[in-house]
Amino acid sequence: MSRWKIAAAQYEPLKTSVREHIAHHLNFIDAAARQQCELLVFPALSLLGCMDESQCLPAPPDIDISLLQPLSQAAHAHRMTIIAGLPVEHNNRFVKGIAVFAPWITSLRLFPQSHGACLGKGLKAISVVDEQPEGVDMDPAFSLFTTSQSVSEPELLTSTSQLQRFSHQFSIAVLMANARGSSALWDESGQLIVRADRGSLLLTGQRTTQGWQGDIIPLR
């Protein structure tokens, strides 16, 4: 695989307006662009403030699509795929979902997300993994699995253990963005490359011919 740089945004949940959430996203996007990242993943429900996933999901506020236009513009300007989180209606209820902004799409794409999503450098596709990831037939064209979360202990310990096993089982790198700390990147063998502590930061990973390398960049 050619060189590929990816990032996960991490920050404590915010209670503010959708417009201010978008401005906060743009700050992280600018930071990721300075690091020449091609993919940026936000925590679960990031456009609502990374609320606790154990809570019952409300219907999303009426979001004027034009409010999200700056995220689409940033994706095109920086040649970056951006995955943000918001509730999505699925089977007559609202579930955790993702909004995808990318240079290769012209309109917002929404996906109900349960476990996570797969993608690959240069691929104009994304595949959302259902609630039984152990049973999926992993497409070898995908080289990265991403997951957006907002969980604390002990759910975090359970989740990270599952992700590490998933990485090893399917020989795929895994990037986790968790609002409440310990965002991480595992390589294709399930080996931990980099893990964050807590706080507002950008976790980055770069894939080269020598394998994955990671870094933590504080945001102020």
Side-chain angles (χ1 to χ4, degrees):
M1 177 195 289
S2 60
R3 299 172 74 91
W4 190 23
K5 197 163 188 181
I6 61 177
Q10 177 182 293
Y11 51 91
E12 290 295 324
L14 305 173
K15 294 183 178 180
T16 185
S17 68
V18 172
R19 190 181 298 275
E20 290 171 312
H21 283 312
I22 293 170
H24 192 245
H25 280 55
L26 291 172
N27 289 337
F28 272 89
I29 293 168
D30 288 342
R34 289 193 294 270
Q35 297 299 316
Q36 298 182 314
C37 294
E38 299 165 75
L39 169 71
L40 176 58
V41 181
F42 283 88
L45 304 172
S46 61
L47 289 170
L48 288 190
C50 306
M51 59 186 290
D52 192 329
E53 292 185 46
S54 64
Q55 298 175 7
C56 180
L57 292 189
D62 289 332
I63 299 177
D64 186 339
I65 296 300
S66 65
L67 280 179
L68 302 179
Q69 192 62 27
L71 298 180
S72 179
Q73 291 171 343
H76 284 82
H78 299 303
R79 305 300 298 171
M80 184 188 303
T81 298
I82 300 163
I83 297 179
L86 76 172
V88 172
E89 190 170 8
H90 182 62
N91 293 334
N92 299 316
R93 66 188 182 96
F94 286 98
V95 300
K96 184 177 73 170
I98 56 176
V100 178
F101 307 86
W104 42 270
I105 60 176
T106 57
S107 59
L108 173 66
R109 290 191 182 178
L110 299 177
F111 300 87
Q113 179 205 38
S114 49
H115 193 78
C118 293
L119 64 163
K121 178 177 172 58
L123 291 180
K124 296 182 178 181
I126 184 168
S127 176
V128 175
V129 177
D130 65 16
E131 295 178 358
Q132 302 297 328
E134 292 80 6
V136 302
D137 183 13
M138 188 64 68
D139 187 335
F142 292 110
S143 52
L144 180 70
F145 175 78
T146 67
T147 178
S148 302
Q149 302 189 31
S150 182
V151 295
S152 302
E153 309 289 356
E155 292 88 352
L156 181 59
L157 288 175
T158 301
S159 179
T160 54
S161 295
Q162 291 174 340
L163 290 171
Q164 189 171 26
R165 289 196 301 271
F166 181 88
S167 173
H168 183 267
Q169 178 181 359
F170 291 105
S171 298
I172 189 169
V174 173
L175 176 67
M176 175 185 70
N178 185 45
R180 300 168 191 273
S182 297
S183 296
L185 171 67
W186 294 267
D187 70 9
E188 293 85 354
S189 66
Q191 179 71 33
L192 178 67
I193 299 301
V194 60
R195 173 175 286 155
D197 191 2
R198 296 183 66 87
S200 181
L201 53 84
L202 193 71
L203 180 147
T204 66
Q206 184 166 350
R207 178 71 163 87
T208 70
T209 54
Q210 287 76 42
W212 286 98
Q213 298 175 335
D215 198 8
I216 302 292
I217 301 165
L219 267 72
R220 296 178 175 82

